[in-house]
Amino acid sequence: SQTIHQWPATLVQPVGSPLSLECTVEGTSNPNLYWYRQAAGRGLQLLFYSVGIGQISSEVPQNLSASRPQDRQFILSSKKLLLSDSGFYLCAWSVDVYGYTFGSGTRLTVV
Amino acid sequence: AQSVTQPDIHITVSEGASLELRCNYSYGATPYLFWYVQSPGQGLQLLLKYFSGDTLVQGIKGFEAEFKRSQSSFNLRKPSVHWSDAAEYFCAVGGGGSYIPTFGRGTSLIVHP
């Protein structure tokens, strides 16, 4: 069966520090991968998506970047965190149009 | 462009009461419609989805939703709510060749004992 792993679950980082969040998928090949951010009391904001290795599309210009070094690995990064980067980050995958499977999320607090 | 409106930010119901969460969409063709549930501090879980066929779809945890094309709606229902149903509920619409659905802002369900 397919599973998605996202870590860490929680993270507290100082302003100006780097960030690396990792997401991996098991049990499927060539998935579409997504990073979303959810601010407190807000909906889901699509940050990046990838339909293949090395193919990254950015939806919102910001302080973050994404990479897909392997077929089932998706990484969200920042060189210098801002206070506004705080939020709940969700990774998701799909192989067709019939719905996503989400990871359990990372709560990022920038202090 | 596709869009989703969830008109209710919060809904409060008593345990055992029936529930209906509203979702209205805008899409140029036959949409793919989804409902997701998010417990506090967790990711989203797919409750049910509609692509074609029977307009009344059954999902997990006793939920169902009805697609009404004439009203551009896909409302989520449950006949008897349990305290564990307290969560955030998201409606989403997609379709065609797009792998990326559009999500609504979510409805927070509060269940009173």
Side-chain angles (χ1 to χ4, degrees), chain A residues 32 34 36 38 41-44 46 49 88 90 94-100 102-105 107, chain B residues 32 34 36 38 41-46 49 51 88 90 95-101 103-105:
Chain A
N32 301 312
Y34 312 84
Y36 282 85
Q38 190 176 26
R42 304 280 304 272
L44 294 166
L46 179 64
Y49 68 94
F88 192 55
L90 289 160
S94 71
V95 291
D96 50 38
V97 298
Y98 301 128
Y100 285 0
F102 283 86
S104 55
R107 172 73 58 193
Chain B
Y32 298 158
F34 311 86
Y36 290 85
Q38 183 182 31
Q42 299 297 314
L44 279 70
Q45 180 184 22
L46 182 64
K49 55 192 176 186
F51 304 122
E88 191 86 14
F90 292 91
S98 172
Y99 291 92
I100 305 174
F103 285 85
R105 292 288 298 270

Side-chain angles (χ1 to χ4, degrees), chain A residues 54-96:
Chain A
Q55 300 178 58
I56 309 294
S57 297
S58 174
E59 289 293 299
V60 182
Q62 58 211 318
N63 187 41
L64 302 170
S65 63
S67 62
R68 185 171 178 173
Q70 300 180 40
D71 180 44
R72 291 170 289 177
Q73 184 184 30
F74 205 25
I75 298 173
L76 183 69
S77 303
S78 174
K79 292 182 179 178
K80 290 185 178 181
L81 284 169
L82 306 172
L83 287 174
S84 58
D85 292 323
S86 293
F88 192 55
Y89 289 82
L90 289 160
C91 180
W93 72 272
S94 71
V95 291
D96 50 38

Side-chain angles (χ1 to χ4, degrees), chain B residues 61-78:
Chain B
K61 305 185 180 187
F63 285 92
E64 66 178 26
E66 186 171 12
F67 170 58
K68 293 186 176 180
R69 183 187 300 275
S70 62
Q71 298 178 20
S72 297
S73 70
F74 188 57
N75 294 348
L76 182 71
R77 302 194 294 246
K78 188 170 185 179

